[in-house]
Amino acid sequence: MTDLERRYLRLLRAYPADYRRARGAEIVGTYLDLAAPDQRWPTPADAADLVRGGLRQRLRATGVTDLIPGVRLAALLAVVTATALAGVWATAELHPPPVGWGVPHVGPFVSLGVVTWAAWLLAAVVIAVAPSRVARWAITLALLLTLALPPVAAALDAPRPPLYVLLPQLVLGLLGLAVPNRPPAAFRLAPLLSALLALAAAEFLVGFSDIDGYYGPALAVLPATGGLLLAVGALLATGLAMGGDARGGWALVTLLTPAGFLAVPRLASGIGPMHGAVTFTELAVTAVAVALTGPAVLLLTVLFRSRRTATPQPSGQPCPTCGARA
């Protein structure tokens, strides 16, 4: 057995054991036939394809076939939310506090965050005009710039957006990488339209009240955005469920995690003192709790649905999978 074959077999563990026994040799043989003569490692595309296929088969085996389409629907909503927030924060970057306040600036901008928000707005344009593969690269670039912002700002001793602004952007972007390969044109345009509307709305509101950076707007915008995201998810879940489509329900459960991160400042204020600023420790504890709770709810939902699907039908009851009586 060659090293390449052994490595493909390791990746094949993503599939259920019964499926591996029945078709494992055929799958690995196909990849080996397509491999280059001197290839020693599976290509990243092959590895991702095997993992995706294994996950799909495991979900099919448990009867949770609507989970992946539901996650893809949640990914579309996450990208729309991320680009809308980028529009709001890009506007905030253009309106720093007055110089007399002694607040540090980065040129005419509030902080280095302007580079990150520009990358997210660029991603919205790319999603509208380019194939999904290229759009994922644009989202990945925006994610990397968001992730690099804190250490770069620390190294340059420059101001940056608060972590409770950057963290939900990362979570939304990571979920956004699961966008479908061929979304409808309306969904491809939605991130760009949401970004433009957010830019216009934020600029309009500046005329009534100075934004003065991130701290004031973030405490209002982030929880409201999280609530709106869940409300849209709930409406989709209800509408699709009326037609017997479970994708909306899975999308709603998936969106609990990013919505929770958007609400971190509000949730953290509930565990601190009645008056006074929220501390970093309270924010960190709340973020960890959200990071554990959201995926746990999704996992428990998957387990509940798989157990329910596996439950044998009582004698004389309709069989949901065959349309006959058991």
Side-chain angles (χ1 to χ4, degrees):
M1 181 183 295
T2 64
D3 290 339
L4 180 60
E5 183 178 2
R6 187 177 297 107
R7 286 160 183 155
Y8 273 120
L9 286 172
R10 288 199 194 102
L11 290 171
L12 201 67
R13 293 175 185 171
Y15 286 81
D18 291 344
Y19 196 90
R20 292 200 305 270
R21 284 192 291 268
R23 300 197 55 190
E26 176 188 350
I27 294 173
V28 172
T30 301
Y31 282 106
L32 291 175
D33 290 341
L34 297 174
D38 57 347
Q39 184 175 330
R40 298 184 57 192
W41 290 88
T43 65
D46 287 349
D49 188 51
L50 279 167
V51 172
R52 281 197 302 266
L55 177 60
R56 193 176 297 114
Q57 289 299 328
R58 288 184 181 274
L59 292 176
R60 185 174 289 119
T62 57
V64 192
T65 54
D66 287 327
L67 174 58
I68 291 180
V71 171
R72 295 196 185 282
L73 179 58
L76 290 169
L77 295 176
V79 172
V80 170
T81 304
T83 54
L85 287 173
V88 173
W89 305 138
T91 304
E93 285 285 346
L94 298 174
H95 297 277
V99 176
W101 287 22
V103 179
H105 298 174
V106 177
F109 308 112
V110 171
S111 73
L112 291 177
V114 66
V115 177
T116 297
W117 310 130
W120 281 104
L121 295 177
L122 175 62
V125 175
V126 173
I127 292 168
V129 301
S132 295
R133 176 174 56 84
V134 180
R136 289 193 187 95
W137 281 110
I139 295 173
T140 301
L141 174 62
L143 279 170
L144 291 175
L145 289 174
T146 307
L147 188 62
L149 193 53
V152 170
L156 298 177
D157 193 24
R160 58 162 174 79
L163 291 178
Y164 58 78
V165 169
L166 297 176
L167 188 56
Q169 197 76 16
L170 282 171
V171 176
L172 289 167
L174 287 172
L175 179 55
L177 291 174
V179 290
N181 290 328
R182 293 181 180 85
F187 283 110
R188 291 175 58 185
L189 291 172
L192 180 58
L193 292 176
S194 69
L196 293 175
L197 287 173
L199 278 166
E203 191 63 39
F204 175 76
L205 292 175
V206 169
F208 296 94
S209 175
D210 291 335
I211 291 182
D212 297 336
Y214 287 93
Y215 295 96
L219 297 177
V221 169
L222 290 176
T225 303
L228 180 61
L229 182 60
L230 287 181
V232 172
L235 288 174
L236 279 174
T238 303
L240 291 173
M242 292 175 66
D245 191 339
R247 287 180 303 161
W250 288 116
L252 179 59
V253 177
T254 304
L255 290 171
L256 290 176
T257 299
F261 277 104
L262 286 165
V264 160
R266 182 67 56 83
L267 295 173
S269 65
I271 66 175
M274 185 66 67
H275 301 286
V278 179
T279 66
F280 176 80
T281 300
E282 292 163 354
L283 288 170
V285 169
T286 305
V288 171
V290 170
L292 295 174
T293 303
V297 171
L298 179 59
L299 178 60
L300 289 173
T301 306
V302 170
L303 293 175
F304 173 77
R305 284 293 302 273
S306 61
R307 281 175 171 269
R308 186 176 177 183
T309 304
T311 302
Q313 296 293 321
S315 177
Q317 295 296 320
C319 174
T321 58
C322 59
R325 298 185 72 83

